[in-house]
Each structure stands twice: as C-alpha cells, then as structure tokens.
Amino acid sequence: MSEPTVTRTDTGGVATLTLLRPALTSRLRTELLAVVRELSADASVRAVVLTGSGRAFCLGQDLTEHAEVLRGGAADSLGVVAAEYNPLLLALAAVPVPVVVGVNGACAGAGLGLALAGDLRVAAAGAKLSTAFAGIGLSSDSAVAARLVHCVGGSRAAELLLLAEPFTAETAAGWGLVHRVVPVEEVHAEAQALATRLATGPTAAYRAVKTVLATAGTDTLKTTLALEAGLQGELGATADHREAVEAFLAKRPARFTGR
C-alpha cells in the first residue's frame, strides 16, 4: 500500500492531524475529509490539532495535478471545488470540539482556508501567508473570502484577495488572523499545549461557544439571544457546570470531564 497523505495520532483526548504533503492533491483532500469525519464522531476526542510537515503548512491546490486536469478539459477542471473542497471545509466547520491549527510554514490559497477553518492558530515566526488565488487567475474558494471578511473586514479582505501579496505571521497576528507566533521549532509544542488545555476543559461549553460564533456575525440580536439562552439552559444541566460552581465555592481548580 502507498504511504498515507495525512496521519492521525491521539494523546490525552487530543487528535493530531498532520498533512504529509505540501499541497492539496485529490488524494490528500479525500483522506483528510475521511479523518475529519471520523474524529468528529469520536466521543474520546476533546480537541484537535491540524498541522503540516516539512517547511510548509499547506500551499493550496497541487498545481501539477491541476495542470494535468486542465489539459484534459478546462471546462470541468474546477468542479473539484464543489465536489471535494466544499465538503472538506464544511466537515472542518462541523468539528464539535476546539481545533488548533499549527501553521508550521508557508500557507497559501486553499491552505489558508484550512488554517482559517480552525478556532485558534499558532504560526511560525516569519511564515508567509497568501490568498494566492488571483495570482493564478482565480477568485477564491475554501471559504477564504468569508473568513477574511469576518476576521479582518471587507476592505482588507479585498486588498488581500485582489493583490494576493504575501504577508508574514507577525502581520497576521496584528490583524487577529493568528493568535500566537513562536519560533518554527516550537509550533508543534505550542499547538499541542493549547489543545491539551482545551481537552481538559468543559467540552460541552466549548461546543456551545462554537455554535454561537458560527452565526453571531450574521444573526440578528434577537436570534443570537435566543440561541444563547437555549444553550445556557442545556449547559446548566451538565456535570461540568455543577463541578465548576462547586470548585469556585471551594476555592479549588475545577475537574472537567466533558459531560
């Protein structure tokens, strides 16, 4: 059998997914989608790390593979967006636990879409990020436009997509796209530390936070308040909420079990 393009390792409730190719081949997209769906249904997983290997996190579409498809029939070449990219990004958005992305190196195009699909991002100092799409005569996919508008506003999103100029991890941190910048050799450890912290926290509450955040930017105030009220009612009945209250009163750390 051929070597996998993505691996999963589990430790202490943290599932770590590592991309073993610098660009997104059809096989990598297929394998990553299967792994993401698998861990989403795994009750033992309480946090996820998504990272790359080598010098890049993810450079987006594998252009060598794409060129072969173009030569065979340009009219059908981008059908892959609806068939493979969209299901993958929807699956990542549906992961019910916190996702920490370790951007260990260059990140471009759909690779940026993967990074922005996470909840928290740790990036290597000096790492270059780019939308890249306009540079190859395309618009955007992988929800990059929507994520950028949500994170940095429409004006800067337009600049990033139209000019497609690379920007550093440090600049991304200043914009709020990246949450922590560390030396490249510390990216994995920092992402793991964040995920481990989240894996020992109130899992149901984190799931509710992700639910509210998913639509907070587009829902009306009335809708958001109703959603929050319903979720708080459910969380009030959890063992983790009761434990946290008792721990606060007893002046001791809470011991969350994810229930």
Side-chain angles (χ1 to χ4, degrees):
M1 293 180 64
S2 57
E3 294 295 318
T5 59
V6 57
T7 60
R8 170 183 169 178
T9 57
D10 289 51
T11 305
V14 177
T16 299
L17 308 185
T18 304
L19 308 179
L20 301 181
R21 299 287 185 276
L24 290 165
T25 61
S26 181
R27 183 181 168 202
L28 194 159
R29 294 190 297 270
T30 299
E31 292 185 359
L32 181 58
L33 174 59
V35 174
V36 170
R37 285 176 170 169
E38 178 184 77
L39 68 84
S40 290
D42 187 341
S44 70
V45 175
R46 296 178 64 183
V48 175
V49 170
L50 173 63
T51 192
S53 57
R55 298 175 62 184
F57 167 67
C58 181
L59 301 175
Q61 170 71 47
D62 185 307
L63 292 183
T64 300
E65 181 180 82
H66 183 60
E68 293 177 2
V69 177
L70 276 175
R71 295 175 188 129
D76 301 323
S77 63
L78 270 301
V80 68
V81 173
E84 297 182 11
Y85 282 95
N86 289 359
L88 175 57
L89 270 294
L90 288 170
L92 283 168
V95 173
V97 297
V99 177
V100 179
V101 181
V103 182
N104 55 293
C107 177
L112 181 59
L114 292 185
L116 296 178
D119 301 301
L120 297 173
R121 283 165 289 283
V122 177
K128 295 293 181 64
L129 296 80
S130 174
T131 60
F133 297 105
I136 55 171
L138 294 176
S139 173
S140 66
D141 58 43
S142 304
V144 169
R147 300 285 188 187
L148 287 176
V149 169
H150 182 75
C151 293
V152 301
S155 179
R156 178 158 283 147
E159 177 188 14
L160 294 176
L161 286 166
L162 290 172
L163 301 182
E165 294 174 345
F167 52 96
T168 65
E170 289 79 0
T171 297
W175 293 339
L177 284 176
V178 165
H179 302 92
R180 298 188 183 181
V181 176
V182 299
V184 62
E185 65 273 13
E186 296 177 16
V187 169
H188 180 72
E190 185 69 17
Q192 287 289 330
L194 273 176
T196 298
R197 172 181 171 182
L198 292 164
T200 59
T203 303
Y206 293 153
R207 184 181 300 115
V209 168
K210 293 187 63 163
T211 298
V212 173
L213 287 175
T215 57
T218 55
D219 280 349
T220 64
L221 176 60
K222 182 177 181 180
T223 299
T224 298
L225 288 170
L227 176 61
E228 289 179 331
L231 290 169
Q232 292 292 59
E234 295 172 9
L235 292 168
T238 63
D240 276 350
H241 174 62
R242 293 192 297 274
E243 159 63 12
V245 172
E246 293 298 333
F248 176 81
L249 295 175
K251 295 181 174 56
R252 61 171 175 78
R255 295 181 290 272
F256 296 113
T257 62
R259 295 190 294 273

